């Protein structure tokens, strides 16, 4: 009897790389002429998985976010997984914005993915397991078609595909 093949669809961000990017971005901000005398700052809260960006005004905050996004992109981190929240006014006439780092696939996105897989008519079974998706089938070809389908979809998160019980393959 043929055995089933499977893979997991995950969405993970390496928090250590994010920390390195924050430190590099802060060094750049301290040394840049257009930030002289400003109180721009980026803080990473590793427990809550969010970044707090503060600056003098909205224009400088946007420039700080651009510097940070450039550093994150250069390190290969998925910018889709950094969700900016509402801009807030902080003490001392400064502005602040929280950027959430999204780990795992949110349940609403996972449901969309399962629906897309079922709608495609491929002979695979997709199931939601906590913050990831498991896809199983008897055919490796069907699994590859499912990967292509999920990769081509616009689900708002960066997807990585992990083969079970062996190495991982990243497709972005």
């Amino acid at each position: 009897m043929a055995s089933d093949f499977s893979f997991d669809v995950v969405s993970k961000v390496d928090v250590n790389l994010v920390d390195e990017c924050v430190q590099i971005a802060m060094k750049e901000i301290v040394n840049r002429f257009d930030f002289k005398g400003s109180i721009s700052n980026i803080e990473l809260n590793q427990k809550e998985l969010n970044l707090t960006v503060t600056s003098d005004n909205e224009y400088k905050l946007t420039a700080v976010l651009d510097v940070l996004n450039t550093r994150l992109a250069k390190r290969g981190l998925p910018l889709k997984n950094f969700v900016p929240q509402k801009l807030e006014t902080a003490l001392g006439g400064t502005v602040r914005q929280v950027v959430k780092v999204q780990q795992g696939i949110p349940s609403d996105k996972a449901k969309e993915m399962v629906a897309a897989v079922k709608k495609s008519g491929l002979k695979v079974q997709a199931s939601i397991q906590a913050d990831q998706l498991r896809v199983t089938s008897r055919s490796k070809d069907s699994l590859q078609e499912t990967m292509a389908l999920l990769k081509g979809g616009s689900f708002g998160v960066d997807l990585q595909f992990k083969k079970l019980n062996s190495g991982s393959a990243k497709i972005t």
Side-chain angles (χ1 to χ4, degrees):
M1 182 168 188
S3 64
D4 284 351
F5 301 102
S6 62
F7 66 88
D8 285 341
V9 182
V10 296
S11 182
K12 300 286 182 196
V13 176
D14 187 353
V15 180
N16 292 330
L17 279 178
V18 174
D19 188 34
E20 288 175 19
C21 291
V22 166
Q23 292 173 9
I24 293 168
M26 282 306 301
K27 284 181 185 176
E28 182 178 336
I29 289 167
V30 167
N31 292 326
R32 274 183 44 171
F33 178 76
D34 55 339
F35 287 109
K36 293 284 185 214
S38 85
I39 50 174
S40 300
N41 192 23
I42 306 169
E43 295 176 8
L44 171 66
N45 185 339
Q46 291 188 1
K47 289 183 181 178
E48 295 180 18
L49 284 176
N50 64 23
L51 298 162
T52 305
V53 182
T54 56
S55 193
D56 298 335
N57 54 43
E58 195 172 333
Y59 172 75
K60 285 188 179 176
L61 184 100
T62 304
V64 171
L65 285 172
D66 285 344
V67 169
L68 178 62
N69 286 340
T70 302
R71 296 292 156 223
L72 293 170
K74 282 187 178 180
R75 292 303 295 248
L77 292 168
L79 294 180
K80 288 181 182 178
N81 287 24
F82 293 88
V83 183
Q85 304 300 307
K86 185 179 168 190
L87 190 70
E88 308 170 342
T89 319
L91 294 174
T94 60
V95 290
R96 169 180 55 217
Q97 187 169 25
V98 174
V99 179
K100 292 194 182 258
V101 181
Q102 188 171 317
Q103 290 280 47
I105 301 171
S107 62
D108 58 328
K109 302 288 183 188
K111 288 177 185 175
E112 284 179 38
M113 289 182 210
V114 169
V117 168
K118 286 183 179 179
K119 186 179 176 184
S120 71
L122 295 170
K123 295 194 177 211
V124 297
Q125 292 80 36
S127 61
I128 300 171
Q129 303 202 343
D131 62 349
Q132 64 186 21
L133 201 68
R134 178 159 295 162
V135 181
T136 59
S137 177
R138 293 190 183 271
S139 166
K140 286 184 179 180
D141 292 336
S142 294
L143 290 179
Q144 289 178 343
E145 290 174 22
T146 305
M147 281 184 187
L149 172 80
L150 292 174
K151 180 184 171 189
S154 60
F155 300 107
V157 292
D158 183 61
L159 301 176
Q160 295 102 25
F161 301 96
K162 280 180 36 177
K163 203 162 106 176
L164 295 179
N165 298 330
S166 62
S168 66
K170 181 177 180 181
I171 300 175
T172 54

